[in-house]
């Protein structure tokens, strides 16, 4: 079959006049580099330039993904806290308030695992530090809070409902 196609090709080529064969060869010699340039080299060259422009963004994304994977791994190995009832949450809050030298005005339980607290006056910074410790060590979080600014700079009054962070 290959021999037949070669013979057919030669016969067709030989049937052309000499000047037409020369014109076809010159045209092919001129068009082939243009086709190679516009169909192969130029698109590849443009794609390389685009990839070089996107490379810094992709590197930042890889770094963010590596950071996130490290955080995910640490969270997987972080032990889950115990689900506490309202009395346990109240005890944990009272003990933590004593350690932080906070004066809780009132503290009452709310079933199943909530506690309502009132603090007459506290530094807002101290309040945030105390909340962070409660959340990290006891998995106790604020469900709702009403914070009132007092006349003394940086001081606030707090009315908050707190629950064990493991409950839905």
């Amino acid at each position: 079959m290959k021999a037949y196609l070669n013979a057919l090709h030669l016969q067709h080529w030989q049937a052309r006049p000499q000047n037409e064969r020369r014109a076809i060869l010159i045209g092919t010699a001129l068009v082939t580099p243009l086709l190679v340039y516009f169909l192969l080299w130029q698109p590849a060259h443009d794609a390389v330039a685009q990839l070089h422009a996107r490379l810094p963004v992709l590197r930042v994304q890889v770094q963010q993904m590596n950071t996130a994977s490290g955080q995910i791994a640490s969270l997987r190995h972080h032990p889950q806290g115990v689900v506490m009832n309202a009395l346990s949450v109240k005890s944990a809050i009272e003990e933590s308030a004593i350690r932080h030298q906070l004066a809780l005005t009132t503290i009452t339980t709310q079933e199943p695992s909530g506690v309502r607290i009132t603090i007459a006056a506290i530094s807002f910074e101290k309040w945030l530090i105390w909340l962070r410790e409660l959340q990290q060590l006891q998995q106790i979080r604020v469900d709702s809070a009403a914070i009132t600014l007092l006349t003394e700079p940086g001081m606030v009054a707090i009315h908050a409902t707190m629950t064990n962070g493991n409950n839905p």
Side-chain angles (χ1 to χ4, degrees), residues 82-86 89 112-114 139 141 143 163-168:
V82 178
V83 176
M84 298 188 290
N85 63 23
V89 173
S113 64
Q139 288 77 39
R141 61 178 163 71
D143 259 358
T163 63
N164 179 248
N166 293 322
N167 289 343

Side-chain angles (χ1 to χ4, degrees), residues 49-92:
Q50 290 174 350
L51 289 175
H52 279 296
R54 288 188 55 210
L55 188 61
V57 173
L58 293 173
R59 284 187 176 146
V60 168
Q61 288 177 344
V62 166
Q63 187 175 12
Q64 290 172 341
M65 289 169 37
N66 286 336
T67 302
S69 69
Q71 291 172 348
I72 290 169
S74 70
L75 289 174
R76 280 189 182 143
H77 299 297
H78 190 271
Q80 292 293 321
V82 178
V83 176
M84 298 188 290
N85 63 23
L87 291 175
S88 299
V89 173
K90 180 180 176 184
S91 297

Side-chain angles (χ1 to χ4, degrees), residues 89-138:
V89 173
K90 180 180 176 184
S91 297
I93 290 174
E94 287 173 336
E95 290 171 12
S96 179
I98 291 168
R99 276 195 318 275
H100 283 267
Q101 299 174 350
L102 298 178
L104 300 176
T105 308
T106 61
I107 183 166
T108 57
T109 60
Q110 292 181 331
E111 293 300 327
S113 64
V115 172
R116 180 89 176 139
I117 66 165
T118 304
I119 303 174
I122 186 173
S123 160
F124 188 69
E125 182 180 3
K126 194 171 186 178
W127 161 253
L128 292 177
I129 291 169
W130 183 57
L131 285 180
R132 187 170 135 226
E133 180 188 295
L134 279 175
Q135 183 153 359
Q136 287 179 344
L137 299 179
Q138 303 290 335

